[in-house]
Structure formats: C-alpha cells, structure tokens
Amino acid sequence: MIRAVIVMNTQGKPRLLKFYEFQPPEKQKELMRSVLAVLSGRPDNVSNFVEADAIFGPGTRLVYKHLATLYFIFVFDNSENELAMLDLIQVFVETMDRCFKNVCELDIVFNFNKMHAIVDEIIFGGQVLETSSEQVMKAVEEIARLEKSSNSISFVPKAVSGRFGR
Amino acid sequence: MEQLKTIGRELAMGSQGGAWAGQSKEFLDLVKSIGEARSKAEEDRIILREIESLRRRIAEPDVPRRRMKDYIIRLVYAEMLGHDASFGYIHAVKMTHDDSLPLKRTGYLAVTLFLNDDHDLIILIINTIQKDLRSDNYLVVCAALTAACKLINEETIPAVLPQVVDLLAHPKETVRKKAVMTLHRFYQRSPASVSHLISNFRKRLCDSDPGVMGATLCPLFDLITEDVNSYKDLVASFASILKQVAERKLPKTYDYHQMPAPFIQIKLLKILALLGSGDKQASGQVYNVLSDLFRKCETSSNIGNAVLYECICCVSSIYPNVKLMDAAIEATSKFLKSDSHNLKYMGIDALGRLIKINPDIAEEHQLAVIDCLEDPDDTLKRKTFELLYKMTKSSNVEVIVERMIDYLISIDDNHYKADIASRCVELAEQFAPSNQWFIQTMNKVFEHAGDLVNSRVAHNLMRLIAEGFGEDDEGADSQLRSSAVDSYLRILGEPKLPSLFLQVICWVLGEYGTADGKYTAAYIIGKLCDVTEAHLCNDTVKAYAISAIMKICAFEIAAGRKVEMLPECQSFLDELSASHSTDLQQRAYELQALLCLDSQAAGNVMPLDASCEDVEIDKDLSFLINFVQQSIEKGANPYLPESERLGMSGVSNFSSPYQQEASSHSLRFEAYELPKPSSIPVIPQPFISTSTTDLVLVPDTTYYRENNQASKLIVGPEASSADAGIKLRLDGVQKKWGKPTYSSSSSITTSVEKTTNGVVAHQDGIRSHSRDTTYDSRRQQPEVSVEKQRLAASLFGASASKTEKKATMAQKAPKGNSTNAEKSSVVRSVSPGTSKDKTAPPPDLLDFGEPVPTSAPTIDPFKELEGLIEPASALGPLYNTVKTGGDKAQDLMALHMDTPPSVSRTSLSLASEGTYSTDKSSYTEKPMIAVKKGPNLQDALHKDATARQVGVTPTGNNPNLFRDLLG
C-alpha cells in the first residue's frame, strides 16, 4: 500500500502531507528532514527511486519527482510497483495542472485543501483509486460545484451555527 | 536565489488576491509572511504568533461558520509546518457535524489529518460518520468513507460496518469502489472483525463496473498473501480477466497512456505470481496470457515497462516455463541496456529474481551489472549489491565482499552500513575460501562498522581462531593464530576502534598473544593496558582486557617464569578493584589471587589453549551421592521426580512452572528424521549433502558417478542414504571452514580430482584455452575498459569457466556430459511425466523440472540423460547408432511410466544417490535403466567427441550454431 504522499519544496518546506498511517506532527517533521537529506543529496539524471527502509521502516521505498521547486514524493511498500508509482505521480501532477492551469508552487500552498481533495480521488486509504486525470478532474469539479450550490442554499443565520459554538 | 524567485512570485501572486477565492486575506498574508521569512526561527515566530491569535479567536463565542472554516484551514496549515494545534481539534470535530457540504468536508479533512485512530475525540465523530454513510448525497458518503478509513479502529469497526456493507450495493460506482476499499482497510486493521465478509470481496470481483473489480483486487491480494490455498480456484478467473484487460475489452476510459488499465494488470500479475508460485497446475493456466502480455507490452512508455516488469516478476515466481523465461530474459536485457536509470534499476531487480531460477543468465549481463555498480546513483548501486549478494558463490566471494567493504567505508548512512556489514559477514561465513581471508575480512568489517555488527559475529570469529581449521594440522592453526595476533597488534595503533572489535582483540591477545613466543608477556600486557587507556572503552572491553591479562599471567606462571607487574598494569588493576562494577572488581581480585599461586595451580586454573575444551559437567551430580545418603539417613525427604510431584499442591506447585519450562526447552539429542522423498522442496538438499560435498554444481559428474555406482546403488541404497543423511551437517561445516580448494575454480576441480586422478593437469590446459576464446569474443565489444573486463571475469568468470569445463569434460569423452546436451536438455527435454499427462503438450509448456525456484542450480540428471540422446538424434545420419539407443531408452522409460507418481521426481532421487530409499520398490528399477543406457550413451559421446575433433566445435561459445542444428 501507499504509506504517504508528500509534496515539499526544495528547501524542505512541506506543501502537502498525507500519511495513511498516522504520524504525530513531531514525527512528520523528522521524516521530512530525513527525506530532504536523502533527496537533496541525489544528483540529477539518476533514478527516481530510493530505498527508504531507514526512514519509513523495513521494506519501504519512495519514488520522487523533482519539478521546478517542488519534490513530489510517494512512499509505499512492496505491494506496489515503482514504475507504476512514478506514473501515479504523473497523474497527480497532470491533474493539478488541469486544475490550476500551469500549476506553480503557490497554487499548491494556497489551495492545499483542494490538493487534498485531488489526492483523495487518486488514492484512497493507501490504495490506488483512480488513474485517469480526466476522471479525477471530473470528481473534483463535481465536488466544487456541489459545494458552491450547497453554500448558496445554506446561508444559515448565526444563531443556528451558534449552537455549535457554545 | 531560488528562494528569492519563489518569494517574488508569491508576492506577485499575492497581490492578485482574488485568484484564490475560498481563502481569506489573512490566510494569504500568513502564507506570504512565511514565504518571506529569512530564517527558520523567524518562520517559527510567525507561526507561533498565528497560533496564539487563532487560539484566542477560535474560542470566542459565535464565530461565523465561514470564519471558522478559515481558522481550521489555518490550523491544518500550522500543523503541517510542524506546530501543535491540538487546541483546535475539538472545533474540527464540531465542524464535521455541520450540514453544509463544504464545511463538513473541511471538518473531515481536518480530523483525518489531526487525529490518530485511538484519539479520545473519535468517539464524538462516530455518530456523524454513521449518519453520513446513510446520506443521500454521495459526496457526503464519500467524505464519510474517507474519514472511516482513517479514523475507525478495531473497537469502533462494528459501529460502522453494517453501513459500509450496505454501500457495496450503492448505485454509484465510486461509492461502491470506496466501500470495497474501506472494507479492505478494516481488514488491514483487524482481520477478525470482517472475516465474515470476505466472500463479499469475491462477489465484487464480478461487479459490473471494472473500477470496482479493480478495487477488489487490492483486498484479494492481501488475502491471498495470507493464505494462498483457499484462492486457487480463482486462478482461471484472474487469468481470464487479465486476458480481457490486455485485449482491450474494457472501456476506453480505463486506458492510461494507451495501455489498457495498467494498474489493474499490475495487481492481477502480482496476484497470479502468488497463486502460481510452486504450483504447476495453476501456473499452466497463466502461461498463455503471460506470453500474450510479453508480446503486447509496448516498451516506449513508462507504464508499459511497469507491466512488463511485473510480468517478469510473475514468470520468476510461478512454475518455470522455458519460453516465458526466454521472454523474461529478453525483457530484462532490454531494461539493462536502457539509458534510463529507472529501467536499469528495474532490470537489476528483475535479474536478481531470474537468477534464482537460472543462475547462468547473469553472465550475459556482466558488463551492464558492473556499469550499474559504478554508477553515481546510490539507489542503483545498492540494488546491484543486492544482486551480487544473491549471486555470490565461493569463486567470486572475494571480489564481491571486497567491493562491499569498499562501499561500506564510503557511506555514512548507519542503517545501510549495518545492513551491508551483516551481508558481508554472512557471505564470508558461507563462502570463505580460507580462514586467513575470513579473519582479514572480519577485521575490516569490524574496523569500519564495528558497533553495528551483531555480537554473535564476534563470537564466531573468536571461535574460528580458537578452533582453527578443525583438522589435525596444528602447524597451520598456530600460524593462523600468530598472524591474527600480528594483525591485531598492528590494528591497535589505529586511533578509534569499535568496542566489539576491541573485545575480540583482547580475547585473542590474551589467549594467543604469547603462544608462539614472538612477543613477551610484558609487551602484550602493556598493549592490553594501552587498549583500555587509549580507547574510551566500556566495562565489557575492560573485562575482556583484564581477563586477557590474567590469562597471560597464568601462562607465564605455569611456564615457571616470574611475572613482574608493570606500573600501568598495576594502576589498571587498582582502578578495577575500586570499580563500581562488581564484575570488574571480581576479575581484578581474581587476578591478584592468581598472582600468588604456584605454577602447578596456575596451570590448572588457566590451562594453555583450552578455550575449545569441553567443560565436563557431571550431570548425575555423583559427588553429592554421599551427602544425599547422609541426609536421608538423618530423616530428609527423598527426591521425587516431577511426574510424581505434579499431583501435590503447595510448595511443589510453586516450583513446577520452572521445571516445565526447563523440560520444554531442553535440548534434543536424537537425530532428526531423514527427509521424505514425497516432499519436493527438500529435494535439492541432498545434492548439497552428498558424500562428496562438492558435487553441487556439477550435474555431469553426478551422472558419471551414478553410472559407476549404479550397481552399488541397487545393492545398498539404504546404507548410502543413511550415510548421506548423517553427513549433512558435517559437510556444511566442512565447506565453510574447509581447506581452500583450487583457488579460482569452483568446486568442480576437486571433485574431478577425487574421481579421476591425473585429469586435472590436462583440464587446466584446456581451460586456459577456452578462456582465451571467451576473451576474444569479449574483445569484439568496443569501449570496454580492461579493468571492467577483469572485474567481470572475477565476478562472473566462475560460471563461465564452469560451462567451459563442461565442454572440456565432454571432449575428454565418455565420462562427462557435453555442453550441447546441456543446452539442449534445457530446451528440448520434456519431462516424460508431463508428456504423458497431457496428451498433446503445447510446445511452450516445457518445464525446467525444478519446481522450487529457490533451489540450488541443480539440473535434473534424468533429463540430461534425455538431453544426451535427443540432440544426438537430431544431428542426423551420423548418429544413427545413437538414435536407436535413444529410442530404446525411451521405450524403457515408457515401460516404467506408470509406476511412480512423477518420473522426474524419481530421477531426482536417483541423482541423490538413493537418499530416498524409503520407497525402494518403485525406485530400484531405475538404476537398471541407467545401466542399460550406459554403453549406448558412451558410444554416442565417443562419436560426438571425434566429430568435434574433426570439425565443428560446439562449445558454449557458439550456441547459435547449435540452435541452428537443433532447430
């Protein structure tokens, strides 16, 4: 299964973190650091795979893609195929590109909840759900549409929401 | 510079503001200011300030819900940057209760990111999830399923399980898909809680939507990994699904980069690999679709290669098939020749899998492998080391371990260092050509990765030095020891040594430092004292050191020499006698006491070189008999055995658990039973353990011996089997530590030497000759450096020389087997068993005859017999005589066809010199065939050899010729 999806920039600032096995924030930070240490030490034009059992436990591997200022990283165990994971990153990036029209790091920072929606449509509970960026886009757009419509309907007065505020 | 650019862009984007509708200005400002932060400290300050303000504002009464959503998002952001936002968790939980979809989704997103599945707040969400799973809006259902995946733990699964199961029949396919995956997740969490639902997975395999079917494969993969046998019935369905997918029967929407549903293909291949592993019948159902895939897979796209790689994995896992193996080997070589590092990586991995089935294929790719070894890419390098590890044998162990140690020194990743060190140790223990080499290697490993190595390894090393060669060659032993002492004294000069290594050094110096009289006791003691001072060492090393000093003193005293205390030794002693550790204190006092003994007593306390002597234990405690007698006479209770005591209560009960434990852990003294012939996986073992150990790799000699010994076999298979069985362990030991065989060559030479004296010299000549020819063929490849070639030769050369030697043996005439037979036996031989079982065997259903992929590279000698015959008959009129011989042999085989369950199995047992004599009746006839066949074959080989001397020389170097000849 896929253990984690990580997007971070080349300085190690996380842009999107999704762990399919819970990790407390301090642990996440530590993992980020060690991943960055490994990735920044790798020259260009080498393979996109890294054996990550020192970081994420035995049998884990990670596949990464370095695009502009960002690293896209998928961590997974031996029930997945490296090359296929590399293509899954491609799907992810393609979808974002469709979503934001020429995606840049900033889109990802500001829309990280939307990014989560996209990832959730591609990977579900650590398993690959959908690999066609077109289908993913459709799902995400439908969510956006429904959200908007439900938004306009349920403009509820403060008093109602206040129920939860207390 | 990079950072500046980012900031610049962030500023530019920030000014547009409206581009990110959903987010508030404040969030934009936050992100912007973090982007501008010049240091980590500044960033932390900003975030902490933000968190403080959020803490204040989130607690205000009547926060508008839209504002609250913004707060929550900012909290998620803060936590992503690694700051604690736990004060806001409860608000995120509340947000999941909201009716509005965006808020609910944000709430779910936040809780899935914030909470662990055993967090206290989960209990507040369960109810919401239950409700949402029943919602009419499928997006709400999806959000709830996502949350359930992440947040529901073993205890709470029953609360939502019924709803999730209901969703399996939901009209929307995305929901069905997610419901299947949620169930899978539940299964991963706690298999027991969903065990009654497993049939659902099978059912969903037939879902009308291929996506749902694909999703079902994931849980099925897990289930099959757990228990292969209960899913064998699905092999045919999986194979047919795979076939349909590959034939593009799915809707176009499932295509990805012109590949039809590649992820489904990959999962199916993984599943089939599991199901077909070691199962000939199941594998048979897969062969066709696999060969289709090999044909269809396009290698231009990444994903195509992913599927191809998965095919190779599948081929290497299922029951071997020659044609598929060839396809897999071809695909692998394409990977290896590719420029892409990714593909090379996959190629190396695939090669590692394939050599388990056929170790010879690595040879073809030697240069590619060496390129990968020297690649700047670390991942590739490690993968290559893994491959080398898999293909290590006694002939190339020196080169491989040397490479590994070089790499070990060059890296500083402790985890991997430990890993590779343990591999070095393992290889060295298994294949060490000489003890000298072993000790040197171990020293290097200890020096560079000392504390990462298991302490067991250190003890092994000490034992080896103590036991020496295990033969009665005292001279060699003492030479080994003194060389160890020399090297350790030299190494002690190094500034920093790991403590485990120091322990070994101390022990060896204490035991053997003065043994050969080269060094004086004072010198060694001085060195030992230096050890404890120069290296900051722990108590264990000190204990080793003081014991070593004690031994040396004892030896000196026993030899009648006087020991004068060095000042540094005295101070060391004083230090230890005042130590906090009672163990060290005791050792110090023991030493002081020892110094006062006379030579006789000291010699008894610490006898020279007695570390290997068994300490005699009087198990009957006979020296207590008098005491017991007296006690009983005085009225004590006699001892009752445990069995009699069990009924009693009180005191005896109190002590019984100990005794029971002791009895359950007691050593077993009787020998294990001999392996039964019916269990196939054990079969390769007898090859390793046959009385002349070294026959492992040489089926030819096995055959030869067999012919010679056939009569013997009939007479006394029982005796020889028992012999082999008992020898099993001994041989393993012998092989580890035994005298070095003829250095570069593999074990074959020795075995030949044993059987036919005087052949060796001749062989050597031919070997060098054939090496020349291989060198020639290699030289044709341009731009390959000499150095690489040398490395390649040392890594792979052994296997090359192996085949060469086979050729030479054939030339040597009637005794051996010939290369062409060898080659063709792989290609042409059909196991008689299979050919009878299936009336019309399709040409691609040939098998290797070895059901176990992990087996040693044994080749069924029975088939080789056939192989001997078949190619000869194909060679045409020249071999008329042979042909008849072959036919006769086959007739004979046909006669016996019905006796054993599988003929190939019988022949295996034959090869192992009748190790499996339990079922004698069915086997005894077999050797007779061999005998009858014998003369004919020898004739044939004679002719073959003469033919070769006259004209063509069909060695392994021109296999094409053979393929042409044999069709």
Side-chain angles (χ1 to χ4, degrees):
Chain A
M1 78 181 261
I2 298 169
R3 299 282 180 85
V5 172
I6 300 167
V7 180
M8 64 176 173
N9 71 3
T10 38
Q11 289 130 41
K13 266 189 203 147
R15 292 313 186 195
L16 177 89
L17 296 180
K18 213 167 173 74
F19 289 91
Y20 291 94
E21 302 277 344
F22 180 80
Q23 306 283 356
E26 314 81 59
K27 178 79 180 160
Q28 292 185 4
K29 241 175 153 176
E30 188 194 317
L31 292 174
M32 288 297 94
R33 259 201 305 278
S34 24
V35 167
L36 184 72
V38 171
L39 293 193
S40 56
R42 289 175 66 79
D44 295 340
N45 308 324
V46 296
S47 66
N48 299 82
F49 315 136
V50 175
E51 265 151 46
D53 38 2
I55 307 172
F56 292 95
T60 52
R61 287 163 288 175
L62 67 81
V63 161
Y64 72 98
K65 209 162 191 164
H66 186 181
L67 296 172
T69 54
L70 290 175
Y71 284 120
F72 293 83
I73 302 153
F74 282 21
V75 184
F76 53 93
D77 60 20
N78 50 13
S79 68
E80 308 287 342
N81 175 317
E82 281 99 336
L83 285 172
M85 284 299 115
L86 193 58
D87 264 34
L88 205 61
I89 295 184
Q90 187 59 36
V91 172
F92 181 39
V93 175
E94 260 173 41
T95 316
M96 283 192 309
D97 215 37
R98 279 166 185 247
C99 213
F100 300 112
K101 313 258 179 329
N102 259 330
V103 64
C104 71
E105 186 176 342
L106 218 65
D107 293 317
I108 296 171
V109 186
F110 285 124
N111 293 290
F112 76 93
N113 51 343
K114 195 165 188 179
M115 302 268 298
H116 276 289
I118 294 175
V119 175
D120 280 344
E121 289 303 317
I122 297 176
I123 300 166
F124 186 90
Q127 304 290 348
V128 181
L129 179 71
E130 180 60 67
T131 54
S132 147
S133 61
E134 212 167 310
Q135 297 291 321
V136 177
M137 266 309 286
K138 262 189 206 160
V140 173
E141 269 164 11
E142 192 157 11
I143 291 170
R145 197 170 49 78
L146 279 172
E147 280 191 350
K148 226 172 250 167
S149 65
S150 81
N151 238 7
S152 54
I153 298 164
S154 64
F155 233 115
V156 200
K158 257 184 202 172
V160 180
S161 70
R163 237 185 11 213
F164 299 104
R166 263 171 289 163
Chain B
M1 194 60 211
E2 196 67 24
Q3 193 171 10
L4 278 180
K5 237 191 280 173
T6 323
I7 294 166
R9 207 167 46 182
E10 284 185 16
L11 285 174
M13 301 297 253
S15 59
Q16 290 171 12
W20 298 281
Q23 309 320 346
S24 72
K25 177 84 173 51
E26 285 164 57
F27 180 58
L28 293 188
D29 288 343
L30 170 68
V31 173
K32 216 157 71 181
S33 56
I34 288 176
E36 285 162 12
R38 302 204 169 273
S39 65
K40 185 81 186 116
E42 194 180 339
E43 182 194 306
D44 284 348
R45 251 197 323 278
I46 294 169
I47 285 283
L48 286 175
R49 209 167 49 222
E50 171 74 13
I51 286 180
E52 268 320 301
S53 91
L54 280 175
R55 194 199 295 274
R56 222 178 31 249
R57 293 162 68 180
I58 215 166
E60 283 171 10
D62 283 350
V63 181
R65 291 186 307 159
R66 298 278 293 277
R67 172 75 41 89
M68 186 56 104
K69 179 187 166 197
D70 186 53
Y71 290 163
I72 298 284
I73 286 183
R74 273 145 79 182
L75 278 180
V76 173
Y77 186 73
E79 187 150 302
M80 184 172 78
L81 292 178
H83 295 267
D84 178 52
S86 51
F87 63 89
Y89 290 177
I90 184 71
H91 297 280
V93 171
K94 272 191 222 156
M95 189 160 271
T96 60
H97 304 328
D98 203 292
D99 290 327
S100 139
L101 181 63
L103 295 192
K104 189 185 268 302
R105 283 183 57 88
T106 310
Y108 273 132
L109 172 65
V111 290
T112 51
L113 291 174
F114 284 153
L115 301 184
N116 191 0
D117 65 358
D118 50 13
H119 197 280
D120 295 338
L121 290 175
I122 297 288
I123 208 75
L124 297 176
I125 308 176
I126 301 239
N127 195 24
T128 324
I129 293 182
Q130 277 180 334
K131 202 177 82 215
D132 289 343
L133 286 176
R134 281 192 295 260
S135 165
D136 293 335
N137 187 341
Y138 83 97
L139 286 176
V140 174
V141 177
C142 284
L145 281 173
T146 314
C149 245
K150 186 76 196 289
L151 301 175
I152 299 293
N153 64 14
E154 196 173 345
E155 286 165 33
T156 41
I157 284 176
V160 294
L161 195 57
Q163 283 91 332
V164 176
V165 174
D166 287 347
L167 289 175
L168 287 176
H170 197 276
K172 266 233 176 269
E173 53 108 342
T174 18
V175 177
R176 287 206 301 275
K177 208 148 95 172
K178 287 184 178 176
V180 169
M181 288 174 143
T182 311
L183 278 185
H184 176 208
R185 188 70 179 162
F186 289 170
Y187 173 77
Q188 284 177 331
R189 283 269 154 78
S190 131
S193 62
V194 289
S195 55
H196 57 292
L197 294 168
I198 282 172
S199 62
N200 275 301
F201 292 134
R202 280 170 178 257
K203 234 182 276 164
R204 282 298 127 204
L205 198 58
C206 320
D207 196 282
S208 57
D209 184 82
V212 181
M213 182 272 295
T216 325
L217 295 177
C218 302
L220 282 175
F221 175 75
D222 276 11
L223 287 166
I224 292 170
T225 317
E226 292 282 307
D227 172 22
V228 178
N229 287 327
S230 39
Y231 292 89
K232 292 278 187 195
D233 56 316
L234 287 179
V235 176
S237 334
F238 285 132
S240 92
I241 294 173
L242 183 57
K243 196 170 160 64
Q244 289 175 43
V245 173
E247 285 168 355
R248 297 178 183 277
K249 295 269 169 69
L250 295 189
K252 265 268 178 267
T253 45
Y254 288 93
D255 281 11
Y256 175 80
H257 290 216
Q258 279 93 48
M259 280 290 286
F263 281 81
I264 292 180
Q265 290 193 38
I266 288 170
K267 262 276 142 38
L268 280 169
L269 283 166
K270 279 194 188 286
I271 290 175
L272 288 173
L274 285 177
L275 286 172
S277 165
D279 182 337
K280 196 166 172 186
Q281 206 231 333
S283 304
Q285 296 171 298
V286 191
Y287 289 156
N288 271 330
V289 63
L290 273 179
S291 61
D292 273 5
L293 278 179
F294 271 120
R295 224 171 323 112
K296 276 185 190 150
C297 262
E298 53 149 341
T299 49
S300 55
S301 73
N302 201 17
I303 195 74
N305 285 320
V307 175
L308 203 55
Y309 165 77
E310 220 45 73
C311 287
I312 300 174
C313 293
C314 190
V315 168
S316 68
S317 158
I318 62 176
Y319 192 87
N321 168 300
V322 176
K323 217 171 173 190
L324 286 178
M325 268 304 273
D326 287 347
I329 291 168
E330 200 193 314
T332 308
S333 68
K334 258 189 211 146
F335 281 162
L336 286 171
K337 280 175 196 145
S338 149
D339 286 334
S340 151
H341 278 82
N342 288 344
L343 291 187
K344 274 189 196 164
Y345 175 88
M346 298 319 253
I348 293 281
D349 187 82
L351 194 58
R353 290 166 191 269
L354 291 177
I355 56 166
K356 278 188 201 150
I357 298 176
N358 180 2
D360 293 339
I361 54 177
E363 206 181 319
E364 245 176 84
H365 304 291
Q366 36 185 306
L367 291 174
V369 171
I370 285 163
D371 275 342
C372 292
L373 198 60
E374 280 159 10
D375 201 273
D377 185 351
D378 227 31
T379 314
L380 194 53
K381 217 181 242 179
R382 287 179 190 188
K383 200 78 196 171
T384 315
F385 274 117
E386 212 171 284
L387 172 70
L388 290 183
Y389 168 76
K390 282 182 199 154
M391 50 180 263
T392 307
K393 44 194 171 222
S394 46
S395 56
N396 55 14
V397 65
E398 289 170 76
V399 192
I400 288 178
V401 170
E402 191 193 320
R403 285 254 151 186
M404 280 185 168
I405 290 177
D406 286 350
Y407 185 59
L408 177 81
I409 297 169
S410 74
I411 56 173
D412 42 38
D413 166 1
N414 266 350
H415 179 85
Y416 195 63
K417 225 175 187 169
D419 199 40
I420 209 159
S422 71
R423 282 186 173 180
C424 281
V425 170
E426 194 185 319
L427 291 181
E429 284 184 347
Q430 213 172 339
F431 298 107
S434 71
N435 289 348
Q436 196 85 33
W437 179 86
F438 181 79
I439 288 173
Q440 275 167 10
T441 309
M442 285 300 104
N443 287 352
K444 270 188 225 156
V445 172
F446 275 123
E447 210 176 322
H448 299 290
D451 290 328
L452 303 169
V453 189
N454 193 333
S455 62
R456 182 191 59 85
V457 178
H459 295 144
N460 269 354
L461 179 60
M462 289 188 249
R463 205 185 54 214
L464 173 70
I465 295 176
E467 285 175 358
F469 288 96
E471 289 160 27
D472 298 327
D473 190 356
E474 270 305 318
D477 282 2
S478 59
Q479 197 190 345
L480 175 82
R481 286 165 193 159
S482 53
S483 78
V485 169
D486 282 345
S487 68
Y488 289 151
L489 285 174
R490 199 169 51 242
I491 287 169
L492 274 181
E494 302 277 325
K496 197 167 173 290
L497 292 171
S499 98
L500 196 58
F501 194 31
L502 285 174
Q503 292 169 25
V504 177
I505 293 178
C506 286
W507 188 85
V508 172
L509 288 186
E511 198 77 18
Y512 303 111
T514 54
D516 59 354
K518 196 163 149 194
Y519 303 103
T520 63
Y523 178 74
I524 299 284
I525 292 178
K527 277 282 179 192
L528 284 169
C529 293
D530 287 350
V531 167
T532 55
E533 272 170 34
H535 304 276
L536 279 177
C537 46
N538 53 20
D539 283 357
T540 327
V541 177
K542 280 181 186 159
Y544 268 90
I546 186 89
S547 295
I549 293 174
M550 178 153 48
K551 275 183 219 158
I552 291 173
C553 292
F555 298 157
E556 287 297 295
I557 294 171
R561 285 188 288 269
K562 183 148 169 40
V563 182
E564 69 247 42
M565 254 324 179
L566 297 169
E568 65 255 43
C569 183
Q570 191 59 52
S571 68
F572 178 51
L573 199 57
D574 293 342
E575 182 203 324
L576 289 198
S577 24
S579 163
H580 287 300
S581 153
T582 47
D583 176 47
L584 289 183
Q585 266 193 35
Q586 174 164 1
R587 282 169 201 257
Y589 285 124
E590 276 172 10
L591 174 55
Q592 277 164 353
L594 184 95
L595 289 173
C596 312
L597 293 176
D598 62 11
S599 70
Q600 178 75 37
N604 277 336
V605 175
M606 290 278 171
L608 194 60
D609 188 17
S611 59
C612 305
E613 309 290 320
D614 287 332
V615 177
E616 269 181 43
I617 297 169
D618 188 351
K619 265 183 288 196
D620 301 331
L621 304 178
S622 55
F623 57 91
L624 284 176
I625 285 174
N626 275 338
F627 175 77
V628 173
Q629 280 298 334
Q630 281 170 15
S631 304
I632 289 176
E633 277 163 21
K634 281 178 194 159
N637 284 330
Y639 172 76
L640 286 177
E642 195 196 354
S643 51
E644 291 171 40
R645 247 177 310 152
L646 275 178
M648 298 184 188
S649 57
V651 186
S652 56
N653 247 359
F654 181 67
S655 62
S656 66
Y658 283 100
Q659 270 152 5
Q660 265 165 357
E661 195 178 88
S663 69
S664 66
H665 286 277
S666 64
L667 281 171
R668 205 183 138 160
F669 288 102
E670 67 271 22
Y672 288 100
E673 288 165 3
L674 286 173
K676 295 262 173 358
S678 56
S679 56
I680 301 173
V682 209
I683 284 178
Q685 244 179 338
F687 279 87
I688 300 163
S689 64
T690 37
S691 45
T692 41
T693 43
D694 291 327
L695 283 173
V696 191
L697 296 172
V698 208
D700 327 14
T701 32
T702 325
Y703 157 66
Y704 160 58
R705 292 169 50 82
E706 215 176 285
N707 260 348
N708 271 1
Q709 296 184 350
S711 49
K712 261 191 249 164
L713 278 180
I714 307 167
V715 182
E718 221 166 357
S720 73
S721 78
D723 205 28
I726 294 164
K727 270 203 173 171
L728 199 138
R729 275 160 208 288
L730 271 180
D731 283 346
V733 177
Q734 202 89 334
K735 211 182 167 197
K736 259 187 213 170
W737 311 125
K739 278 216 159 179
T741 56
Y742 277 77
S743 54
S744 76
S745 70
S746 55
S747 36
I748 303 149
T749 342
T750 32
S751 70
V752 172
E753 203 180 11
K754 271 175 199 158
T755 45
T756 51
N757 280 331
V759 178
V760 188
H762 185 65
Q763 254 198 346
D764 268 329
I766 297 169
R767 200 196 309 156
S768 63
H769 160 74
S770 44
R771 203 169 268 162
D772 282 347
T773 48
T774 42
Y775 181 67
D776 276 345
S777 67
R778 257 179 224 153
R779 204 159 39 189
Q780 284 162 7
Q781 295 171 314
E783 72 214 355
V784 175
S785 72
V786 184
E787 196 183 330
K788 262 184 202 170
Q789 281 179 4
R790 205 174 301 136
L791 181 59
S794 52
L795 280 178
F796 301 86
S799 49
S801 62
K802 191 173 85 188
T803 43
E804 283 156 20
K805 249 175 273 161
K806 273 175 197 154
T808 49
M809 286 175 73
Q811 279 171 338
K812 287 271 331 142
K815 286 156 188 172
N817 207 337
S818 64
T819 327
N820 65 340
E822 160 91 11
K823 289 240 171 193
S824 51
S825 74
V826 179
V827 185
R828 309 195 91 233
S829 69
V830 184
S831 154
T834 43
S835 65
K836 284 280 158 179
D837 290 343
K838 296 170 192 167
T839 39
D844 59 338
L845 283 185
L846 308 175
D847 59 43
F848 271 92
E850 263 304 331
V852 200
T854 52
S855 66
T858 49
I859 295 167
D860 187 352
F862 194 73
K863 283 192 194 127
E864 284 195 320
L865 288 183
E866 270 186 277
L868 269 174
I869 298 153
E870 296 241 339
S873 60
L875 278 175
L878 190 69
Y879 293 96
N880 260 341
T881 45
V882 191
K883 205 169 178 182
T884 50
D887 285 342
K888 222 183 269 170
Q890 264 169 351
D891 285 348
L892 273 169
M893 272 180 244
L895 275 177
H896 297 287
M897 206 85 296
D898 44 354
T899 31
S902 144
V903 177
S904 65
R905 198 182 295 168
T906 354
S907 58
L908 268 175
S909 68
L910 215 184
S912 54
E913 300 186 54
T915 316
Y916 311 121
S917 54
T918 40
D919 194 358
K920 249 184 288 172
S921 59
S922 62
Y923 297 142
T924 37
E925 288 169 328
K926 288 294 142 197
M928 281 176 35
I929 301 174
V931 174
K932 281 196 180 178
K933 252 191 285 184
N936 279 335
L937 286 172
Q938 291 187 350
D939 264 355
L941 279 169
H942 252 309
K943 293 217 167 169
D944 188 28
T946 37
R948 257 184 248 157
Q949 275 159 11
V950 175
V952 262
T953 320
T955 58
N957 293 326
N958 46 2
N960 285 339
L961 174 68
F962 261 81
R963 218 156 283 152
D964 293 344
L965 274 172
L966 303 172

